[in-house]
Amino acid sequence: MRGIAAVPSYVVMQPTTLCNLDCTYCYLPLRAADRRMPVPVAEAVAGSVNPWAAQGRFSVVWHGGEPLAAGREHFAALLAPFEAGVEHHVQTNATLIDDAWCEFFATHQVRVSVSVDGPRERNQERTSRGGRPAYDRILRGVAALRRHGLPFSALAVVSRPAPGLATELYEYFLSLGCDVLGINIEETEGVNLRDNSHDPAVVTAFWAELVAAWRREPRIHLREVEWSLRYVAATLGGEADAVLPRRLDPIPTVGYDGSVTVLSPELAGFTDPRYGDFSSGNVLRTPLAEILATASDTSWVGEFLTGVEACRSSCAYFGFCGGGHAANRYFEHGRFDGTETEHCRNSKIRLLEGVLEHARDHQEPAA
């Protein structure tokens, strides 16, 4: 895996910067401002995306702010330029979902992922702008999805891994009714400056416990665990080199104003004296395909690629993570050519060690 691919596997779109919640750990800098994406931005992105989708599966992920805060009429106008072969996904806090939104999702074939951190007591940091708990509103949105028979994914943030938590979370999401679950250990990034260092043994045990809970009743696709198992299987089969793509996925994030930030959506909306606004161009001036073709020329991207090579030469886990994420390096180290981060330790190294720890503890005795 070297360099950046010219064609991504998906594009992230920001229909609005506004979010109706004010979660403690949120990294977004403009979530109190209602800056909506003009339709010409979506039309410009579709000009590159539609041909890519004609060649194979391709997704557009709508991620705010809170995407539903853009409103159904405006959201429909943003979807309109994309042709039928494009898959649409929305990451939402679910508080605005009602019957009308469910009909919208069904009509436009939008796949929904809900951000919720587990049972009520685990959602204390997901609050309204007035500080009121959002949990009941989230559940009402989930209930609407289930009432309409719409499958949905879930994404949970874990701020403090602890014994018993993984089992509690997995059992909760089984009852919630999602079919895919992603677990993010809280990250220090953006405007969230909280420390994310944890006892390595506790984090490893958290992941091992999650594997055990999933294996007892594997009715949910568990994103991190299944990816880890694929890597382990490939390694045991002598095919570890085939796990990572040949080139990094650019993961272009198109901001509300058409600016394009590659590799890490979390960098969008920020500026730095050394790196500027982190963007590689604007789709209102340059086609997205052309922006991605020269993305490696962006100053900070070159620095990040130097860091990837440093990881390749120094880290035994490189084949699993591929060099980590640009935003984690920047927000933890203040630059892009560093190597290991707390995010690496929590969500890559300890994850893989947790999977292996579970395997060791449950291996069949020799005959």
Side-chain angles (χ1 to χ4, degrees):
M1 186 187 73
R2 297 182 187 276
I4 298 176
V7 177
S9 59
Y10 64 99
V11 170
V12 180
M13 300 276 281
Q14 186 182 48
T16 177
T17 59
L18 180 67
C19 187
N20 60 323
L21 297 187
D22 193 22
C23 302
T24 307
Y25 51 66
C26 184
Y27 65 86
L28 293 168
L30 301 174
R31 62 184 186 273
D34 188 6
R35 302 181 184 179
R36 298 189 184 188
M37 176 179 284
V39 172
V41 171
E43 292 172 340
V45 174
S48 292
V49 165
N50 289 336
W52 290 334
Q55 301 300 313
R57 184 176 182 181
F58 197 91
S59 299
V60 172
V61 179
W62 299 90
H63 193 305
E66 168 50 50
L68 306 193
R72 284 187 297 278
E73 183 177 349
H74 187 62
F75 205 161
L78 295 176
L79 290 172
F82 295 94
E83 295 177 354
V86 179
E87 298 180 9
H88 292 280
H89 302 250
V90 63
Q91 185 67 45
T92 174
N93 60 39
T95 60
L96 300 177
I97 296 177
D98 55 14
D99 291 335
W101 270 113
C102 288
E103 292 169 5
F104 180 96
F105 298 145
T107 298
H108 295 280
Q109 297 183 306
V110 177
R111 168 77 191 200
V112 179
S113 179
V114 172
S115 297
V116 57
D117 298 337
R120 184 183 302 275
E121 60 273 17
R122 301 296 179 185
N123 279 266
Q124 299 305 306
E125 299 188 275
R126 301 186 61 76
T127 63
S128 69
R129 299 209 158 272
R132 296 177 62 84
Y135 184 70
D136 288 338
R137 295 168 63 195
I138 294 170
L139 283 195
R140 283 198 294 270
V142 170
L145 292 170
R146 297 183 66 169
R147 191 165 59 246
H148 285 261
L150 295 174
F152 64 96
S153 305
L155 182 63
V157 173
V158 172
S159 296
R160 290 168 290 278
L165 176 57
T167 300
E168 175 189 335
L169 289 178
Y170 188 75
E171 291 176 352
Y172 171 82
F173 285 105
L174 277 176
S175 67
L176 191 70
C178 62
D179 55 10
V180 179
L181 173 61
I183 300 287
N184 286 351
I185 293 182
E186 183 181 336
E187 302 168 43
T188 302
E189 60 187 3
V191 297
N192 178 24
L193 303 179
R194 302 197 309 188
D195 179 58
N196 67 333
S197 58
H198 302 286
D199 183 327
V202 171
V203 180
T204 301
F206 169 84
W207 290 117
E209 182 186 325
L210 187 63
V211 179
W214 174 74
R215 288 195 65 196
R216 285 193 294 271
E217 198 169 357
R219 291 194 286 113
I220 296 176
H221 288 292
L222 195 50
R223 186 183 64 181
E224 287 76 19
V225 169
E226 292 186 24
W227 164 248
S228 302
L229 293 175
R230 284 196 295 271
Y231 174 75
V232 171
T235 301
L236 293 174
E239 299 176 345
D241 287 344
V243 174
L244 295 175
R246 295 299 91 193
R247 292 179 178 271
L248 283 167
D249 193 322
I251 317 174
T253 296
V254 182
Y256 75 95
D257 59 354
S259 60
V260 178
T261 306
V262 298
L263 296 172
S264 285
E266 298 83 1
L267 292 170
F270 289 91
T271 58
D272 181 274
R274 290 182 57 204
Y275 307 111
D277 65 1
F278 300 104
S279 71
S280 296
N282 191 296
V283 296
L284 294 177
R285 295 187 291 272
T286 308
L288 180 59
E290 291 185 22
I291 292 173
L292 297 184
T294 59
S296 296
D297 297 335
T298 307
S299 61
W300 72 264
V301 175
E303 187 177 298
F304 171 71
L305 293 176
T306 298
V308 170
E309 292 308 308
C311 283
R312 187 196 305 274
S313 63
S314 64
C315 183
Y317 296 86
F318 181 83
F320 177 58
C321 80
H325 300 293
N328 297 113
R329 294 182 190 218
Y330 173 72
F331 289 115
E332 290 194 35
H333 297 323
R335 55 186 302 114
F336 293 96
D337 55 2
T339 52
E340 190 173 305
T341 63
E342 289 295 345
H343 173 69
C344 291
R345 299 181 187 105
N346 292 332
S347 298
K348 301 295 182 181
I349 295 173
R350 308 306 176 214
L351 165 61
L352 188 56
E353 289 181 348
V355 170
L356 295 175
E357 179 178 291
H358 172 82
R360 285 192 295 268
D361 291 345
H362 294 81
Q363 63 183 343
E364 295 292 334

PDB file of all heavy atoms in Angstrom, residues 121-138:
ATOM      1  N   GLU A 121     -27.995   5.288  30.681  1.00  0.00           N
ATOM      2  CA  GLU A 121     -26.917   5.805  31.530  1.00  0.00           C
ATOM      3  C   GLU A 121     -25.602   5.969  30.775  1.00  0.00           C
ATOM      4  O   GLU A 121     -24.696   6.663  31.249  1.00  0.00           O
ATOM      5  CB  GLU A 121     -26.705   4.898  32.746  1.00  0.00           C
ATOM      6  CG  GLU A 121     -26.326   3.468  32.432  1.00  0.00           C
ATOM      7  CD  GLU A 121     -27.539   2.565  32.200  1.00  0.00           C
ATOM      8  OE1 GLU A 121     -28.663   3.082  31.970  1.00  0.00           O
ATOM      9  OE2 GLU A 121     -27.356   1.337  32.270  1.00  0.00           O
ATOM     10  N   ARG A 122     -25.482   5.344  29.609  1.00  0.00           N
ATOM     11  CA  ARG A 122     -24.276   5.481  28.800  1.00  0.00           C
ATOM     12  C   ARG A 122     -24.368   6.649  27.819  1.00  0.00           C
ATOM     13  O   ARG A 122     -23.428   6.901  27.066  1.00  0.00           O
ATOM     14  CB  ARG A 122     -24.016   4.188  28.006  1.00  0.00           C
ATOM     15  CG  ARG A 122     -23.855   2.948  28.867  1.00  0.00           C
ATOM     16  CD  ARG A 122     -22.646   3.042  29.751  1.00  0.00           C
ATOM     17  NE  ARG A 122     -22.522   1.849  30.603  1.00  0.00           N
ATOM     18  CZ  ARG A 122     -21.593   1.719  31.543  1.00  0.00           C
ATOM     19  NH1 ARG A 122     -20.726   2.690  31.751  1.00  0.00           N
ATOM     20  NH2 ARG A 122     -21.547   0.623  32.287  1.00  0.00           N
ATOM     21  N   ASN A 123     -25.495   7.366  27.819  1.00  0.00           N
ATOM     22  CA  ASN A 123     -25.713   8.464  26.871  1.00  0.00           C
ATOM     23  C   ASN A 123     -25.750   9.826  27.548  1.00  0.00           C
ATOM     24  O   ASN A 123     -26.304  10.776  27.001  1.00  0.00           O
ATOM     25  CB  ASN A 123     -27.019   8.228  26.109  1.00  0.00           C
ATOM     26  CG  ASN A 123     -26.842   7.251  24.966  1.00  0.00           C
ATOM     27  OD1 ASN A 123     -26.601   7.650  23.830  1.00  0.00           O
ATOM     28  ND2 ASN A 123     -26.958   5.966  25.264  1.00  0.00           N
ATOM     29  N   GLN A 124     -25.147   9.941  28.716  1.00  0.00           N
ATOM     30  CA  GLN A 124     -25.210  11.194  29.468  1.00  0.00           C
ATOM     31  C   GLN A 124     -24.523  12.353  28.741  1.00  0.00           C
ATOM     32  O   GLN A 124     -24.822  13.522  29.006  1.00  0.00           O
ATOM     33  CB  GLN A 124     -24.592  11.001  30.854  1.00  0.00           C
ATOM     34  CG  GLN A 124     -25.306   9.962  31.712  1.00  0.00           C
ATOM     35  CD  GLN A 124     -26.779  10.264  31.865  1.00  0.00           C
ATOM     36  OE1 GLN A 124     -27.161  11.356  32.274  1.00  0.00           O
ATOM     37  NE2 GLN A 124     -27.633   9.305  31.512  1.00  0.00           N
ATOM     38  N   GLU A 125     -23.595  12.032  27.839  1.00  0.00           N
ATOM     39  CA  GLU A 125     -22.864  13.096  27.145  1.00  0.00           C
ATOM     40  C   GLU A 125     -23.518  13.488  25.823  1.00  0.00           C
ATOM     41  O   GLU A 125     -23.032  14.382  25.136  1.00  0.00           O
ATOM     42  CB  GLU A 125     -21.415  12.669  26.923  1.00  0.00           C
ATOM     43  CG  GLU A 125     -20.691  12.419  28.242  1.00  0.00           C
ATOM     44  CD  GLU A 125     -19.214  12.194  28.077  1.00  0.00           C
ATOM     45  OE1 GLU A 125     -18.821  11.043  27.816  1.00  0.00           O
ATOM     46  OE2 GLU A 125     -18.466  13.168  28.208  1.00  0.00           O
ATOM     47  N   ARG A 126     -24.636  12.836  25.493  1.00  0.00           N
ATOM     48  CA  ARG A 126     -25.390  13.187  24.287  1.00  0.00           C
ATOM     49  C   ARG A 126     -26.598  14.006  24.719  1.00  0.00           C
ATOM     50  O   ARG A 126     -27.623  13.463  25.123  1.00  0.00           O
ATOM     51  CB  ARG A 126     -25.807  11.919  23.531  1.00  0.00           C
ATOM     52  CG  ARG A 126     -24.617  11.061  23.114  1.00  0.00           C
ATOM     53  CD  ARG A 126     -25.038   9.898  22.242  1.00  0.00           C
ATOM     54  NE  ARG A 126     -25.658  10.331  21.011  1.00  0.00           N
ATOM     55  CZ  ARG A 126     -25.012  10.818  19.955  1.00  0.00           C
ATOM     56  NH1 ARG A 126     -23.693  10.957  19.991  1.00  0.00           N
ATOM     57  NH2 ARG A 126     -25.650  11.195  18.879  1.00  0.00           N
ATOM     58  N   THR A 127     -26.450  15.329  24.642  1.00  0.00           N
ATOM     59  CA  THR A 127     -27.471  16.233  25.151  1.00  0.00           C
ATOM     60  C   THR A 127     -27.851  17.287  24.112  1.00  0.00           C
ATOM     61  O   THR A 127     -27.119  17.528  23.145  1.00  0.00           O
ATOM     62  CB  THR A 127     -26.987  16.967  26.419  1.00  0.00           C
ATOM     63  OG1 THR A 127     -25.846  17.777  26.077  1.00  0.00           O
ATOM     64  CG2 THR A 127     -26.599  15.979  27.513  1.00  0.00           C
ATOM     65  N   SER A 128     -28.990  17.931  24.354  1.00  0.00           N
ATOM     66  CA  SER A 128     -29.430  19.047  23.511  1.00  0.00           C
ATOM     67  C   SER A 128     -28.577  20.275  23.831  1.00  0.00           C
ATOM     68  O   SER A 128     -27.776  20.272  24.779  1.00  0.00           O
ATOM     69  CB  SER A 128     -30.895  19.363  23.779  1.00  0.00           C
ATOM     70  OG  SER A 128     -31.046  19.921  25.087  1.00  0.00           O
ATOM     71  N   ARG A 129     -28.790  21.334  23.075  1.00  0.00           N
ATOM     72  CA  ARG A 129     -28.045  22.571  23.340  1.00  0.00           C
ATOM     73  C   ARG A 129     -28.418  23.175  24.682  1.00  0.00           C
ATOM     74  O   ARG A 129     -27.645  23.950  25.251  1.00  0.00           O
ATOM     75  CB  ARG A 129     -28.279  23.579  22.210  1.00  0.00           C
ATOM     76  CG  ARG A 129     -27.803  23.046  20.880  1.00  0.00           C
ATOM     77  CD  ARG A 129     -27.353  24.103  19.898  1.00  0.00           C
ATOM     78  NE  ARG A 129     -26.464  23.456  18.937  1.00  0.00           N
ATOM     79  CZ  ARG A 129     -25.171  23.318  19.101  1.00  0.00           C
ATOM     80  NH1 ARG A 129     -24.589  23.804  20.182  1.00  0.00           N
ATOM     81  NH2 ARG A 129     -24.440  22.705  18.201  1.00  0.00           N
ATOM     82  N   GLY A 130     -29.571  22.812  25.182  1.00  0.00           N
ATOM     83  CA  GLY A 130     -29.967  23.278  26.503  1.00  0.00           C
ATOM     84  C   GLY A 130     -29.527  22.360  27.621  1.00  0.00           C
ATOM     85  O   GLY A 130     -29.880  22.572  28.779  1.00  0.00           O
ATOM     86  N   GLY A 131     -28.764  21.301  27.277  1.00  0.00           N
ATOM     87  CA  GLY A 131     -28.247  20.380  28.284  1.00  0.00           C
ATOM     88  C   GLY A 131     -29.203  19.265  28.660  1.00  0.00           C
ATOM     89  O   GLY A 131     -28.939  18.517  29.602  1.00  0.00           O
ATOM     90  N   ARG A 132     -30.317  19.124  27.923  1.00  0.00           N
ATOM     91  CA  ARG A 132     -31.284  18.071  28.242  1.00  0.00           C
ATOM     92  C   ARG A 132     -30.863  16.746  27.597  1.00  0.00           C
ATOM     93  O   ARG A 132     -30.387  16.726  26.461  1.00  0.00           O
ATOM     94  CB  ARG A 132     -32.675  18.465  27.753  1.00  0.00           C
ATOM     95  CG  ARG A 132     -33.236  19.691  28.459  1.00  0.00           C
ATOM     96  CD  ARG A 132     -34.591  20.083  27.872  1.00  0.00           C
ATOM     97  NE  ARG A 132     -35.575  19.025  28.052  1.00  0.00           N
ATOM     98  CZ  ARG A 132     -36.289  18.856  29.149  1.00  0.00           C
ATOM     99  NH1 ARG A 132     -36.116  19.672  30.183  1.00  0.00           N
ATOM    100  NH2 ARG A 132     -37.178  17.887  29.240  1.00  0.00           N
ATOM    101  N   PRO A 133     -31.030  15.633  28.293  1.00  0.00           N
ATOM    102  CA  PRO A 133     -30.662  14.332  27.720  1.00  0.00           C
ATOM    103  C   PRO A 133     -31.418  14.067  26.416  1.00  0.00           C
ATOM    104  O   PRO A 133     -32.613  14.372  26.297  1.00  0.00           O
ATOM    105  CB  PRO A 133     -31.076  13.341  28.810  1.00  0.00           C
ATOM    106  CG  PRO A 133     -31.094  14.147  30.074  1.00  0.00           C
ATOM    107  CD  PRO A 133     -31.548  15.510  29.673  1.00  0.00           C
ATOM    108  N   ALA A 134     -30.719  13.487  25.449  1.00  0.00           N
ATOM    109  CA  ALA A 134     -31.311  13.231  24.134  1.00  0.00           C
ATOM    110  C   ALA A 134     -31.813  11.801  23.979  1.00  0.00           C
ATOM    111  O   ALA A 134     -32.399  11.462  22.947  1.00  0.00           O
ATOM    112  CB  ALA A 134     -30.275  13.526  23.044  1.00  0.00           C
ATOM    113  N   TYR A 135     -31.617  10.971  25.005  1.00  0.00           N
ATOM    114  CA  TYR A 135     -31.836   9.532  24.829  1.00  0.00           C
ATOM    115  C   TYR A 135     -33.260   9.184  24.412  1.00  0.00           C
ATOM    116  O   TYR A 135     -33.460   8.379  23.497  1.00  0.00           O
ATOM    117  CB  TYR A 135     -31.473   8.794  26.118  1.00  0.00           C
ATOM    118  CG  TYR A 135     -31.568   7.292  25.986  1.00  0.00           C
ATOM    119  CD1 TYR A 135     -30.649   6.585  25.214  1.00  0.00           C
ATOM    120  CD2 TYR A 135     -32.576   6.588  26.635  1.00  0.00           C
ATOM    121  CE1 TYR A 135     -30.731   5.214  25.084  1.00  0.00           C
ATOM    122  CE2 TYR A 135     -32.660   5.206  26.510  1.00  0.00           C
ATOM    123  CZ  TYR A 135     -31.742   4.524  25.734  1.00  0.00           C
ATOM    124  OH  TYR A 135     -31.835   3.165  25.610  1.00  0.00           O
ATOM    125  N   ASP A 136     -34.261   9.779  25.052  1.00  0.00           N
ATOM    126  CA  ASP A 136     -35.642   9.438  24.702  1.00  0.00           C
ATOM    127  C   ASP A 136     -35.961   9.798  23.261  1.00  0.00           C
ATOM    128  O   ASP A 136     -36.680   9.062  22.569  1.00  0.00           O
ATOM    129  CB  ASP A 136     -36.620  10.140  25.649  1.00  0.00           C
ATOM    130  CG  ASP A 136     -36.606   9.539  27.056  1.00  0.00           C
ATOM    131  OD1 ASP A 136     -36.196   8.367  27.191  1.00  0.00           O
ATOM    132  OD2 ASP A 136     -36.985  10.244  28.009  1.00  0.00           O
ATOM    133  N   ARG A 137     -35.426  10.901  22.783  1.00  0.00           N
ATOM    134  CA  ARG A 137     -35.649  11.315  21.388  1.00  0.00           C
ATOM    135  C   ARG A 137     -34.942  10.361  20.428  1.00  0.00           C
ATOM    136  O   ARG A 137     -35.447  10.070  19.347  1.00  0.00           O
ATOM    137  CB  ARG A 137     -35.182  12.751  21.190  1.00  0.00           C
ATOM    138  CG  ARG A 137     -35.992  13.769  22.001  1.00  0.00           C
ATOM    139  CD  ARG A 137     -35.319  15.124  21.990  1.00  0.00           C
ATOM    140  NE  ARG A 137     -35.257  15.673  20.636  1.00  0.00           N
ATOM    141  CZ  ARG A 137     -34.477  16.695  20.294  1.00  0.00           C
ATOM    142  NH1 ARG A 137     -33.672  17.264  21.207  1.00  0.00           N
ATOM    143  NH2 ARG A 137     -34.471  17.155  19.065  1.00  0.00           N
ATOM    144  N   ILE A 138     -33.762   9.895  20.816  1.00  0.00           N
ATOM    145  CA  ILE A 138     -33.059   8.915  19.986  1.00  0.00           C
ATOM    146  C   ILE A 138     -33.889   7.643  19.862  1.00  0.00           C
ATOM    147  O   ILE A 138     -34.075   7.112  18.756  1.00  0.00           O
ATOM    148  CB  ILE A 138     -31.674   8.592  20.590  1.00  0.00           C
ATOM    149  CG1 ILE A 138     -30.763   9.821  20.555  1.00  0.00           C
ATOM    150  CG2 ILE A 138     -31.016   7.428  19.847  1.00  0.00           C
ATOM    151  CD1 ILE A 138     -29.477   9.652  21.345  1.00  0.00           C
TER     152      ILE A 138
END
